[in-house]
Amino acid sequence: MSKTIDPVDEMLPVPKLLALGLQHVLVMYAGAVAVPLIIGRALKLPPEDVAFLISADLFACGLATLVQCIGFPGVSIRLPVMMGVTFASVGPMLSMAASPDIGLLGIYGSVIAAGLFGIIIAPFISRLLPLFPPVVTGTIILIIGVSLMRVGINWAGGGQPTIIKVVDGVRGNFPNPDYGQLQGLGIALFVLLVILGLIKWGTGFVANVSVLLGIVAGAVLASALGVMHFDKVAAAPWGALVVPFKFGVPQFKPVPIVTMCIVMIVVMIESLGMFLALGEMTGKKVDREALARGLRADGVGTLLGGLFNTFPYTSFSQNVGLVSVTGVRTRWVTVTGGVIMLLLGLLPKMAALVEAVPQVVLGGAGLVMFGMVAATGARILAAVDFKTNRFNLFIVAISVGFGLIPLAAPGFFHNLPKDLQPLLESGILLCTLVAVLLNAFFNGLGSSKAAETDAAAAASSAQHV
């Protein structure tokens, strides 16, 4: 008597697996390499180190994906999931990068600690779901997008609007003469127009990878104009191993660790929604035990990220959307995608090529990528009941206000204890704390069942770029 194979476990022919796995990689690639670029340049690392961050990120993406899709006892959701660095961690990490007492090693220490924290609390996270109804998650994702837009806008401008100089022994900020040059703005606009054209007139797969194709088109134009240089690409080796602790022994400091653990809770709540949505799409029952295994894999992925010189990991929702679009439910497609990502991480020339792409090219794409994150938050909020529950308006209004403080007034908290600065300078974390507290105050806590239904509905409509 033949045993029926669950669609999630179906093994497709190798050529089809390769094609579908590559499609998953291309859909997430632009978003996957964005975070190491942002953090590496914020830390003013040399180009070869930024290229290494990209290689490490791709390598850890592959490892985390394999852990989530294949896993081992007690770990992995075993659904078609692609893992990537979460944008939710960018704001806090930029604050840490700006602090000379924390820096890259402090970031890695907080990421490792957050990964261990995630592994431990995984079984309890589903019980926190009532704290994060759509009015809270939508507001948080909106602020994540708005916070990241500053990065995209500065990329389009060609760097930072001010530069630090020492004049007569006095250190100060001065206008950056290279910021906002017409040629750079023109390239950024060209990339944006290419992406918009592909979104409007492209179909299927082309429309899905419009951001990546826009970056490629912008890189070609920048190269033709002599703005993009390939010296570092030519010098980079074809193959190299990604070794743990390349930049030194991580430093474990209390405030960054607490900050990243809060980020981890938010990320795991979002993953919870993704898993529930994937369960509906694939027809596979996702019970509390399966959710705990999947969330534990998020923690393991984040731990691996800290060990291999990269950042916190979560399931990429655009790939969840791709499962819905293609109707291909087998996890072996994303396993193949994970293997491809892992191999890309072992090709330093590929990472050097990505690092060589001028900021103005990434700026045109960043406006779309980060704007779509904000739009996703607005889309989730569109389903929130504002008509009969006026409290929801206050939750969103006040939480967004707190989330914008670090953006609108960077020195607002400068008189508070220095150790709290990484927490207070992150609009995402301020927004999260305020939204959770206000929702509990105004609306109380709903049932776990209702929270799971809301989370799955929000996740199935979310398409983060």
Side-chain angles (χ1 to χ4, degrees):
M1 190 175 190
S2 63
K3 184 179 179 182
T4 303
I5 298 175
D6 193 300
V8 167
D9 299 317
E10 182 184 2
M11 181 62 73
L12 301 177
V14 172
K16 196 168 184 179
L17 279 178
L18 288 172
L20 292 169
L22 182 61
Q23 179 175 245
H24 270 282
V25 170
L26 292 175
V27 164
M28 71 175 291
Y29 192 86
V33 300
V35 176
L37 279 170
I38 294 169
I39 303 302
R41 287 173 175 171
L43 287 162
K44 297 181 173 57
L45 296 178
E48 56 271 20
D49 283 347
V50 177
F52 177 81
L53 284 184
I54 294 168
S55 287
D57 177 40
L58 295 174
F59 181 80
C61 273
L63 279 183
T65 298
L66 294 178
V67 167
Q68 188 64 274
C69 296
I70 300 176
F72 42 89
V75 177
S76 90
I77 192 71
R78 292 187 180 89
L79 289 173
V81 176
M82 290 293 289
M83 301 285 284
V85 175
T86 172
F87 282 135
S89 64
V90 173
M93 289 194 297
L94 287 176
S95 298
M96 295 177 199
S99 172
D101 296 331
I102 300 175
L104 188 59
L105 294 179
I107 291 174
Y108 287 149
S110 68
V111 171
I112 290 171
L116 292 170
F117 174 74
I119 293 170
I120 293 168
I121 68 164
F124 308 102
I125 284 293
S126 60
R127 298 177 186 178
L128 296 178
L129 198 56
L131 292 174
F132 292 84
V135 68
V136 174
T137 55
T139 304
I140 295 169
I141 294 171
L142 173 64
I143 283 294
I144 290 172
V146 171
S147 298
L148 291 173
M149 282 299 287
R150 177 175 58 178
V151 174
I153 290 168
N154 285 334
W155 275 354
Q160 294 295 322
T162 60
I163 54 177
I164 298 174
K165 287 184 180 179
V166 178
V167 178
D168 297 329
V170 179
R171 181 184 171 120
N173 289 319
F174 296 87
N176 182 357
D178 297 325
Y179 188 79
Q181 292 288 330
L182 286 179
Q183 179 177 265
L185 294 178
I187 294 173
L189 178 61
F190 170 76
V191 173
L192 178 60
L193 292 176
V194 169
I195 293 171
L196 293 177
L198 291 172
I199 290 171
K200 180 172 176 60
W201 292 295
T203 57
F205 179 61
V206 170
N208 285 336
V209 296
S210 56
V211 171
L212 182 63
L213 294 177
I215 292 174
V216 171
V220 171
L221 176 61
S223 179
L225 294 174
V227 177
M228 184 173 176
H229 306 288
F230 298 92
D231 300 343
K232 295 286 193 309
V233 180
W238 280 102
L241 294 177
V242 176
V243 295
F245 307 131
K246 174 180 169 61
F247 298 99
V249 179
Q251 297 175 2
F252 299 91
K253 301 187 176 181
V255 173
I257 287 173
V258 171
T259 302
M260 199 59 73
C261 286
I262 294 173
V263 171
M264 196 68 193
I265 291 174
V266 174
V267 166
M268 292 173 86
I269 290 290
E270 188 178 354
S271 289
L272 205 66
M274 296 300 157
F275 298 152
L276 292 168
L278 262 177
E280 292 183 3
M281 291 177 194
T282 60
K284 178 131 182 170
K285 180 175 173 56
V286 179
D287 55 21
R288 182 162 286 185
E289 184 183 346
L291 291 174
R293 291 198 310 269
L295 295 174
R296 199 173 285 118
D298 273 12
V300 171
T302 298
L303 174 61
L304 290 172
L307 296 175
F308 283 97
N309 318 285
T310 182
F311 311 111
Y313 284 87
T314 186
S315 54
F316 258 36
S317 55
Q318 63 263 45
N319 293 90
V320 174
L322 189 58
V323 172
S324 177
V325 169
T326 63
V328 178
R329 296 179 281 177
T330 173
R331 61 191 168 104
W332 294 106
V333 166
T334 50
V335 167
T336 306
V339 172
I340 293 172
M341 294 290 278
L342 195 150
L343 293 176
L344 287 174
L346 301 176
L347 301 174
K349 226 174 245 304
M350 177 68 73
L353 181 62
V354 173
E355 195 284 327
V357 176
Q359 289 189 16
V360 290
V361 172
L362 297 171
L367 293 176
V368 180
M369 284 195 298
F370 306 145
M372 278 297 289
V373 176
T376 296
R379 183 174 179 176
I380 293 171
L381 289 174
V384 172
D385 178 17
F386 292 110
K387 188 172 181 180
T388 62
N389 185 348
R390 66 189 181 92
F391 296 140
N392 286 334
L393 284 171
F394 291 99
I395 293 169
V396 175
I398 298 170
S399 302
V400 167
F402 270 84
L404 289 177
I405 288 175
L407 297 178
F412 191 81
F413 295 112
H414 75 281
N415 284 323
L416 294 178
K418 187 178 179 182
D419 287 343
L420 295 177
Q421 296 305 312
L423 175 62
L424 297 173
E425 289 175 6
S426 170
I428 297 166
L429 290 176
L430 284 176
C431 173
T432 300
L433 292 172
V434 172
V436 168
L437 291 174
L438 287 178
N439 178 68
F441 174 69
F442 282 124
N443 294 330
L445 301 180
S447 68
S448 296
K449 188 65 178 175
E452 289 183 10
T453 302
D454 288 342
S460 62
S461 69
Q463 297 292 323
H464 302 184
V465 178

